[in-house]
Amino acid sequence: MTLIRIAALSAAMAWGLPAAAQDAPPKREALRVCQDPNNLPFSNTSAQGIENRIADVFGKALGLPVTYYSFPQRLAFIRNTLRYKLPGQDYPCDIVMGVPAGYDQVSVTKPYYRSTYALVFAQGKGMDQVRSGQDFLKLDRAMLTKLRIGLYDRSPASDWLSKHGLVDSGVPYQIMNADPNQYPGEIIEKDLAAGKIDAAIVWGPIAGYFAKRVTSPALTVVPLRSEPGVKFDYEMAMGVRYGEREWKQQVEGLLESRKAEIGAILKEFGVPIVDESYAAQKP
């Protein structure tokens, strides 16, 4: 689910010191993108994801072909892509198209969208009136405690269920799965659609994209607001190597000049876009 899940584990990642400032970069012959090969709605080897589409926009703006270097987004993704360099060889890729703002493993650009975790459920199951997290929590307690709510372990959803006394309703899924064929939307597209779980709480872009792909039953996506002690909303940015100031400025220029095209792509993929009001309110 892009680097949101890795950011939660960044303290466990081995990491070196930032690279020293570099000389003026050589002329680029391609827009070389670091990607996960099986991580829709963000990226895949068929270039069908949000980040692939945005990369195409950037490539056209730069007059460059887009190439990809793929590596599964497990631990050490950055070290094995953006920072990977064999002696005498060049880096295989120069940009990660989606990282949380403030992610310290890369030099982060200004954010280009804010989304939030979302609750997804099938219509006609007694939750049709739910339009917010608070609406959900106001459902009959006897009903809530019987629900099977799918979530990725060590995600904000775990903290939210714990905070509201619903730990026993949670059905945990592994956030780091060694199976290369596993993808984050399975929780919705397979298990929620099949009725194995009653609801799911996942990162917003995953919720919006896979809920649209499920035609039966009809699914509802409810963006969740952060609360004190539970952060659901994140600003997303792009990442380049430390020391590549000119490249970072160029990417930020593209983010600004191609804002409308990027926004249209996010809308097409069903990404829940939220504003600052979704951040936790200070007491």
Side-chain angles (χ1 to χ4, degrees), residues 240-258:
V240 301
R241 281 181 288 275
Y242 283 105
E244 297 187 351
R245 181 175 59 85
E246 292 182 20
W247 174 227
K248 179 179 177 179
Q249 290 175 340
Q250 190 173 16
V251 172
E252 290 185 328
L254 289 168
L255 288 172
E256 183 61 32
S257 65
R258 297 300 185 270

Side-chain angles (χ1 to χ4, degrees), residues 1-13 75 100 103 105 117 153-156 159 175-176 234:
M1 56 190 78
T2 197
L3 287 166
I4 281 288
R5 63 182 180 185
I6 297 179
L9 302 174
S10 61
M13 295 176 67
L75 286 175
Y103 185 63
Q105 309 301 313
Y117 276 72
D153 59 357
R154 291 177 285 179
S155 76
D159 298 329
I175 200 169
M176 291 291 180
Y234 289 86

Side-chain angles (χ1 to χ4, degrees), residues 22-145:
Q22 301 177 1
D23 296 330
K27 182 179 179 181
R28 297 185 187 277
E29 297 181 354
L31 175 62
R32 303 183 304 177
V33 178
C34 318
Q35 73 160 359
D36 187 309
N38 183 32
N39 194 32
L40 288 178
F42 308 104
S43 63
N44 69 1
T45 53
S46 298
Q48 296 172 316
I50 296 168
E51 294 168 8
N52 301 124
R53 292 279 298 280
I54 296 174
D56 286 341
V57 170
F58 281 13
K60 290 176 182 177
L62 294 169
L64 296 174
V66 180
T67 63
Y68 291 96
Y69 182 77
S70 297
F71 189 87
Q73 275 195 12
R74 309 300 193 253
L75 286 175
F77 173 74
I78 299 297
R79 188 174 65 195
N80 285 289
T81 54
L82 192 66
R83 296 277 299 194
Y84 180 69
K85 191 176 187 296
L86 294 175
Q89 296 186 13
D90 196 3
Y91 294 102
C93 54
D94 305 313
I95 185 170
V96 180
M97 304 298 291
V99 298
Y103 185 63
D104 64 2
Q105 309 301 313
V106 298
S107 180
V108 178
T109 67
K110 62 183 179 182
Y112 65 101
Y113 74 94
R114 180 196 292 261
S115 191
T116 190
Y117 276 72
L119 174 71
V120 187
F121 54 84
Q123 297 175 16
K125 302 289 185 179
M127 294 177 276
D128 290 0
Q129 72 274 31
V130 171
R131 293 292 180 269
S132 68
Q134 290 304 308
D135 286 346
F136 179 76
L137 295 172
K138 290 176 183 177
L139 292 173
D140 182 77
R141 192 69 185 179
M143 175 184 173
L144 280 177
T145 56

